[in-house]
């Protein structure tokens, strides 16, 4: 089955267990409960954050969620596995992968809704991706599947042509195809600082208002 | 016992790939950097399996051809190249 890793779906019983995990995550997130949130991870789990990159270990992950819940109080958290379909990695049936969508409701500084914006004409240069620790990790024992995390960075142009240097992190699963390796799943994020830079450059400018000193 | 002492460092780390495999993945990353900087969507997509999944903030794109199309459209400015919220976001690159 070399080269076909990841093509098979998990059996219904396993799928239900994964979906139950998602439900537990929803409840933990909605209850702002770091301990319950982190109980879903292995002891040596890797959690790739948008701000600091990978955090390793259940205890460190719990601290990250504890810090998060100090200022962010999400409600109505929903995590959904795309297609309700976890996929097998390899053939042993001991590792799975899935993509999914999450949503939750929070409040901005003044209770305002959080906008989602889209930007066009992004022309990045100087793209660099560096594997964390130059290390690639085995999934399972057959040696046909790997995972890695990395940091990426690039420079694009802002609305007025100014350079915007942004960065983020990605996580990938590689599978063997003959003598080569290919990417089976790649997921990436962008750091909050980078997003703020982009927001600042591309945000619509407020309409000019008369100076208060000019008022009668 | 003597054999275990002779094991290379990577073998003592329980889940790290061997040096040869690691070099191949690092070479892939370098090729990906070059492809990205050359706006070469085909070369970027070529690094994925035929049924590869690229997870963007707008959701997963499945399949090498779809990934190539997504990157190509993005490079030509036809669709949003960057999506963000005030707290998180992603460069679709």
């Amino acid at each position: 089955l070399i080269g076909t890793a990841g093509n098979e779906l998990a059996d219904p019983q396993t799928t239900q267990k994964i979906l139950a995990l998602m439900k537990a995550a929803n409840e933990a997130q909605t209850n702002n409960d770091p301990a319950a949130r982190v109980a879903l991870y292995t002891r040596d789990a890797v959690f790739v954050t948008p701000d600091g990159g990978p955090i390793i270990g259940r205890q460190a992950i719990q601290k990250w969620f504890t810090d998060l819940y100090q200022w962010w109080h999400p409600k109505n958290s929903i995590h959904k596995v795309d297609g309700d379909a976890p996929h097998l990695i390899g053939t042993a049936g001991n590792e799975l992968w899935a993509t999914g969508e999450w949503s939750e409701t929070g409040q901005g500084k003044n209770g305002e809704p959080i906008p989602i914006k889209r930007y066009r004409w992004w022309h990045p240069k100087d793209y660099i991706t560096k594997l964390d620790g130059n290390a690639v990790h085995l999934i399972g024992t057959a040696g046909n599947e790997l995972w890695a995390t990395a940091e990426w960075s690039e420079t694009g142009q802002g609305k007025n042509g100014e350079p915007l240097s942004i960065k983020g992190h990605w996580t990938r699963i590689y599978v063997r195809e003959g003598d080569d390796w290919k990417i089976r799943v790649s997921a990436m994020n962008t750091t909050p600082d980078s997003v703020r830079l982009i927001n600042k450059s591309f945000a619509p400018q407020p309409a000019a208002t008369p100076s208060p000193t000019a008022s009668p | 016992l003597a054999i275990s002492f002779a094991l290379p460092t990577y073998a003592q780390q329980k889940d790290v790939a061997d040096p040869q495999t690691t070099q191949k993945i690092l070479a892939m990353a370098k090729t990906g950097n070059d492809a990205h900087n050359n706006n070469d969507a085909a070369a970027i997509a070529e690094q994925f399996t035929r049924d590869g999944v690229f997870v963007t903030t707008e959701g997963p794109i499945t399949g090498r051809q779809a990934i190539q199309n997504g990157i190509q459209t993005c490079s030509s400015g036809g669709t949003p190249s960057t999506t963000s919220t005030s707290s998180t976001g992603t460069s679709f690159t």
Side-chain angles (χ1 to χ4, degrees):
Chain A
L1 286 178
I2 287 174
T4 62
N7 286 348
E8 303 296 333
L9 297 181
D11 63 79
Q13 191 180 3
T14 302
T15 299
Q16 286 308 312
K17 288 193 173 181
I18 299 299
L19 296 180
L21 271 180
M22 296 299 100
K23 187 170 180 296
N26 294 340
E27 291 170 2
Q29 187 80 351
T30 296
N31 293 331
N32 301 184
D33 183 344
R37 194 78 170 77
V38 81
L40 308 175
Y41 290 80
T42 63
R43 190 168 296 188
D44 57 354
V46 177
F47 180 60
V48 181
T49 69
D51 47 358
I55 293 175
I56 300 169
R58 200 184 275 159
Q59 196 171 355
I61 298 170
Q62 179 165 341
K63 181 181 184 310
W64 190 88
F65 277 105
T66 301
D67 293 345
L68 174 72
Y69 296 146
Q70 295 297 312
W71 60 274
W72 181 247
H73 308 291
K75 297 294 174 195
N76 306 319
S77 173
I78 298 173
H79 291 69
K80 288 181 185 169
V81 173
D82 291 328
D84 284 346
H87 300 254
L88 290 169
I89 298 173
T91 56
N94 294 324
E95 297 91 17
L96 306 169
W97 68 268
T99 61
E101 181 179 287
W102 64 268
S103 63
E104 62 192 22
T105 305
Q107 284 191 325
K109 191 175 178 183
N110 302 309
E112 74 279 16
I114 295 174
I116 296 175
K117 298 173 183 175
R118 293 178 175 182
Y119 302 108
R120 305 174 73 160
W121 308 300
W122 181 251
H123 302 293
K125 297 290 176 195
D126 304 324
Y127 179 82
I128 298 173
T129 181
K130 289 180 185 169
L131 264 65
D132 295 323
N134 280 337
V136 187
H137 304 261
L138 292 167
I139 298 175
T141 55
N144 294 323
E145 297 88 20
L146 308 168
W147 68 269
T149 59
E151 181 177 285
W152 64 267
S153 61
E154 65 187 21
T155 303
Q157 285 190 326
K159 191 176 180 180
N160 300 312
E162 75 277 19
L164 295 181
S165 294
I166 62 172
K167 66 179 183 178
H169 305 271
W170 57 244
T171 309
R172 285 180 178 166
I173 294 175
Y174 298 88
V175 298
R176 189 195 294 277
E177 283 195 349
D179 290 335
D180 293 330
W181 291 89
K182 295 285 185 184
I183 301 166
R184 183 66 177 87
V185 183
S186 176
M188 59 195 299
N189 64 34
T190 305
T191 64
D193 282 349
S194 298
V195 173
R196 272 191 286 274
L197 263 182
I198 297 168
N199 282 348
K200 189 177 174 186
S201 175
F202 287 90
Q205 297 302 309
T209 54
S211 162
T213 56
S215 301
Chain B
L1 187 62
I3 292 173
S4 70
F5 281 122
L7 284 174
T9 306
Y10 72 85
Q12 296 170 25
Q13 301 173 23
K14 72 173 185 181
D15 76 335
V16 177
D18 63 81
Q20 191 179 4
T21 300
T22 300
Q23 286 308 313
K24 284 192 175 184
I25 299 299
L26 293 176
M28 272 186 79
K30 185 176 183 305
T31 303
N33 291 344
D34 294 342
H36 188 90
N37 285 317
N38 292 330
N39 298 315
D40 188 343
I44 297 171
E46 176 60 29
Q47 295 209 320
F48 284 80
T49 61
R50 190 169 296 186
D51 56 356
V53 178
F54 180 40
V55 183
T56 74
T57 48
E58 296 183 340
I61 302 175
T62 303
R64 192 186 285 159
Q65 188 62 53
I67 292 169
Q68 180 175 336
N69 292 345
I71 295 169
Q72 216 147 26
T73 312
C74 167
S75 299
S76 67
T79 57
S81 59
T82 301
T83 302
S84 65
T85 69
S86 61
S87 57
T88 61
T90 264
S91 168
F92 179 53
T93 50

